[in-house]
Amino acid sequence: MSKIIISCAVTGSIHTPSMSPYLPITGPQIAEQAIGAAKAGAAILHLHARDPENGKPSSEVDDYMGFLPGIKAGTDAIVNLTTGGSAVMSIEQRLAGPLRAEPEMCSLNMGTMNFALYPMLGKRTEWLFDWEEPFLRNSDDLVFKNTPRDIVSVLQLMGQDRGARFELECYDVGHLYMLRHFVDRGLIDAPIFIQFVMGVLGGIPAEPEHLTHLKKTADGLFGDSYTFSVLAAGRQQMAMAAMAAGMGGHVRVGLEDNLYISRGQLAESNAQQVEKIRSIVEALGREVATPDEARAMLGLKGQAGVAF
């Protein structure tokens, strides 16, 4: 098997500050945790911005610049910026930070979908900030919009114009066929890096039989022109990552996807999760890729090509 790429999703836009005191929300906190995750073995750092005053998901360029230069100064890990931002943002807002930063990688969700977060409401009754509870409660009427036109726009603006390559996020089997559509149109070429996103209410559940089906479908659609990674939102994070590693895939962990390190115990940092998955994949006989090895595997432009 090839070397395994560990990605770490440092903060995301789903969990809210009241859920964990360890969730980074300020620029220095995000930078510190990202660098720590890289030192622990993460070759790719997947990043969202937050309002440093209240932890709300942010699309402000200044909030991105509150952590990007520090990360670049502190590690050679690959910066992978979200183009999904938050489901409550317009595509123009979602792209503001990436357009300014011109990262080596961006995430790209391969379709429009329900994105239901409201089950998290049952876990608490007190909130640090007044935006948190309505944000979660109103997700019962929330659609993450990424139409074919939106996808083409991101591919052109971030890929063709700025040289980024993509973590192509597929939340269900239909997203793989949408990806094939864009490959057939000549808008995406190899090496294709697919992230199977599992366990989000609105997408495919984090269950072993679904992962094997996703892998079999991708094999039929893309042959040997792709590699895959797996993230599982919530308590199946480590189990599904271990399965992915055993299947020859790559893995993603991080506080965006799961706030815990074990049952009932909050992870105290992103690095703690990276260290745990690293020990698991190395026990399975996989060797962890360095950032430069990951760059070569994914065909990236290199850290010198970014704008931060």
Side-chain angles (χ1 to χ4, degrees):
M1 294 183 183
S2 63
K3 291 188 176 182
I4 187 168
I5 298 170
I6 299 176
S7 296
C8 182
V10 175
T11 187
S13 64
I14 294 172
H15 295 118
T16 71
S18 296
M19 297 177 183
S20 172
Y22 307 112
L23 182 71
I25 61 174
T26 69
Q29 289 170 350
I30 293 170
E32 179 183 15
Q33 288 223 28
I35 293 168
K39 289 179 178 178
I44 297 175
L45 302 170
H46 175 66
L47 298 161
H48 290 240
R50 298 257 184 176
D51 183 330
E53 297 299 321
N54 59 18
K56 190 174 184 178
S58 172
S59 62
E60 296 296 324
V61 170
D62 286 348
D63 292 334
Y64 278 96
M65 291 303 153
F67 57 79
L68 288 175
I71 291 173
K72 185 181 179 183
T75 178
D76 65 345
I78 298 158
V79 166
N80 170 7
L81 291 188
T82 179
T83 67
S86 171
V88 299
M89 298 175 186
S90 68
I91 188 169
E92 291 79 14
Q93 291 173 316
R94 287 157 38 197
L95 288 178
L99 288 173
R100 166 62 179 83
E102 302 185 20
E104 295 183 70
M105 288 190 75
C106 289
S107 65
L108 179 55
N109 188 322
M110 295 310 297
T112 297
M113 59 179 288
N114 292 331
F115 217 97
L117 309 175
Y118 60 88
M120 296 182 186
L121 286 170
K123 298 181 179 180
R124 59 189 25 82
T125 58
E126 297 182 0
W127 306 91
L128 293 172
F129 301 104
D130 60 7
W131 68 269
E132 297 178 77
E133 191 272 342
F135 171 74
L136 297 173
R137 174 167 39 81
N138 291 331
S139 69
D140 67 348
D141 194 34
L142 185 63
V143 173
F144 175 80
K145 174 183 173 291
N146 226 35
T147 63
R149 183 182 298 178
D150 293 334
I151 293 169
V152 169
S153 179
V154 175
L155 290 171
Q156 178 174 337
L157 290 170
M158 296 310 307
Q160 296 172 20
D161 296 351
R162 290 168 174 80
R165 294 195 65 85
F166 296 93
E167 171 201 13
L168 297 155
E169 296 190 335
C170 293
Y171 288 71
D172 217 328
V173 176
H175 286 183
L176 291 170
Y177 285 88
M178 184 60 75
L179 173 55
R180 181 71 243 182
H181 165 77
F182 289 112
V183 171
D184 291 342
R185 290 175 60 179
L187 297 174
I188 297 174
D189 57 12
I192 298 168
F193 184 57
I194 299 174
Q195 186 75 252
F196 295 142
V197 184
M198 310 183 76
V200 174
L201 185 57
I204 201 164
E207 298 174 358
E209 60 268 30
H210 293 311
L211 177 52
T212 57
H213 181 54
L214 287 168
K215 174 66 165 54
K216 181 178 179 180
T217 302
D219 285 346
L221 291 171
F222 306 108
D224 60 2
S225 66
Y226 88 103
T227 57
F228 75 97
S229 177
V230 173
L231 77 87
R235 65 181 181 273
Q236 296 301 323
Q237 180 188 59
M238 294 294 169
M240 297 304 296
M243 182 175 172
M247 294 169 67
H250 307 288
V251 297
R252 180 175 126 175
V253 294
L255 298 184
E256 172 175 350
D257 304 331
N258 177 30
L259 293 174
Y260 292 83
I261 192 65
S262 60
R263 185 177 179 87
Q265 181 182 353
L266 289 170
E268 296 184 10
S269 68
N270 281 276
Q272 189 179 18
Q273 289 189 351
V274 174
E275 290 164 357
K276 182 171 182 177
I277 195 58
R278 180 171 190 162
S279 69
I280 292 171
V281 302
E282 288 180 339
L284 292 171
R286 301 292 300 277
E287 186 176 351
V288 174
T290 67
D292 282 342
E293 288 169 338
R295 286 183 174 95
M297 293 164 70
L298 301 177
L300 304 186
K301 64 182 180 180
Q303 197 176 48
V306 304
F308 54 88

